[in-house]
Amino acid sequence: KQEVTQIPAALSVPEGENLVLNCSFTDSAIYNLQWFRQDPGKGLTSLLLIQSSQREQTSGRLNASLDKSSGRSTLYIAASQPGDSATYLCAVRGGGGSEKLVFGKGMKLTVNP
Amino acid sequence: DARVTQTPRDKVTEMGQEVTMRCQPILGHNTVFWYRQTMMQGLELLAYFRNRAPLDDSGMPKDRFSAEMPDATLATLKIQPSEPRDSAVYFCASGLQGETQYFGPGTRLLVL
């Protein structure tokens, strides 16, 4: 059974710092991995999707990497801003044709001005 | 700006009552998902449909939960009878097969 872990559960940093968020998963036979952002009281917004054949994806100040063999992904946020404050969730989709996503419990990020 | 919509946004009910949650997926999306989010368990998939047919409902308590897609523009999730442990935020998401899932704003359910 796939398990996804995000440590730490919360992080508070001053504005301007470069951040690395970690995600680990137990079964390396994945189809893809996604990073989502969730604002309080809102739904999830997809940030980046990495296919199993890819090593990284970039969007603006965000860069996500995937090391399937070691069961790890990182989300790098450059020059953090208060508007980046949210909960970040990692989710993996397994192989075999299922579209089921298995989520980590998320990391709550607070960027202080 | 296409979005997944969910109704109601908030629901408070008493134990034993029936609860119906509705979702309108993004037009053209052929895959619809129902998730439940709690502090303890995080986000869990309850069920999903492709082209209105249920593909996986293994995450759903069968005795009290049911999910349907009466047509391509409506998905429903019903709980009957509801219990306090069902209190959670229920999310609907839609997407095209194999691609990114787009989430709705959720229905916050409180069962007293």
Side-chain angles (χ1 to χ4, degrees):
Chain A
K1 177 185 172 184
Q2 179 74 271
E3 292 182 2
V4 179
T5 303
Q6 293 182 250
I7 296 174
L11 184 65
S12 181
V13 299
E15 182 177 6
E17 282 203 3
N18 298 323
L19 305 174
V20 176
L21 283 62
N22 296 304
C23 171
S24 61
F25 47 95
T26 55
D27 186 349
S28 61
I30 65 170
Y31 183 82
N32 62 38
L33 182 145
Q34 280 188 261
W35 283 94
F36 291 86
R37 168 184 173 141
Q38 185 174 26
D39 292 285
K42 302 286 181 64
L44 279 68
T45 301
S46 179
L47 297 173
L48 290 165
L49 184 152
I50 312 177
Q51 301 292 351
S52 62
S53 58
Q54 297 175 320
R55 292 299 298 250
E56 65 179 313
Q57 283 285 336
T58 299
S59 176
R61 294 184 294 110
L62 305 179
N63 175 278
S65 66
L66 174 64
D67 184 340
K68 202 171 65 165
S69 61
S70 68
R72 293 181 183 178
S73 176
T74 60
L75 178 66
Y76 177 82
I77 303 176
S80 58
Q81 303 171 357
D84 295 329
S85 298
T87 296
Y88 290 81
L89 296 103
C90 167
V92 299
R93 178 185 163 189
S98 172
E99 298 216 34
K100 177 179 179 178
L101 290 180
V102 178
F103 283 84
K105 293 194 174 177
M107 194 211 76
K108 184 177 181 180
L109 173 66
T110 303
V111 181
N112 301 299
Chain B
D1 184 22
R3 297 185 183 187
V4 175
T5 58
Q6 291 186 247
T7 56
R9 292 295 312 275
D10 290 279
K11 176 73 176 180
V12 180
T13 191
E14 293 188 346
M15 182 173 63
Q17 296 298 304
E18 177 178 301
V19 175
T20 299
M21 290 169 269
R22 294 177 174 81
C23 167
Q24 182 172 13
I26 293 173
L27 189 65
H29 282 183
N30 66 347
T31 311
V32 177
F33 305 83
W34 283 105
Y35 291 91
R36 175 169 64 183
Q37 186 176 38
T38 62
M39 290 293 293
M40 290 297 295
Q41 300 298 326
L43 259 170
E44 300 174 295
L45 179 70
L46 295 175
Y48 80 95
F49 295 76
R50 181 173 300 143
N51 298 322
R52 297 175 56 201
L55 285 192
D56 185 348
D57 61 2
S58 59
M60 202 164 63
K62 302 291 193 304
D63 56 338
R64 299 183 299 107
F65 285 60
S66 62
E68 297 180 343
M69 281 200 73
D71 60 60
T73 64
L74 177 64
T76 62
L77 180 66
K78 292 186 180 181
I79 309 174
Q80 168 66 328
S82 58
E83 297 180 1
R85 60 179 167 152
D86 301 328
S87 298
V89 182
Y90 291 81
F91 289 103
C92 175
S94 73
L96 293 171
Q97 183 177 345
E99 298 186 8
T100 299
Q101 296 179 24
Y102 294 84
F103 280 71
T107 293
R108 188 181 304 273
L109 173 65
L110 178 61
V111 183
L112 301 174

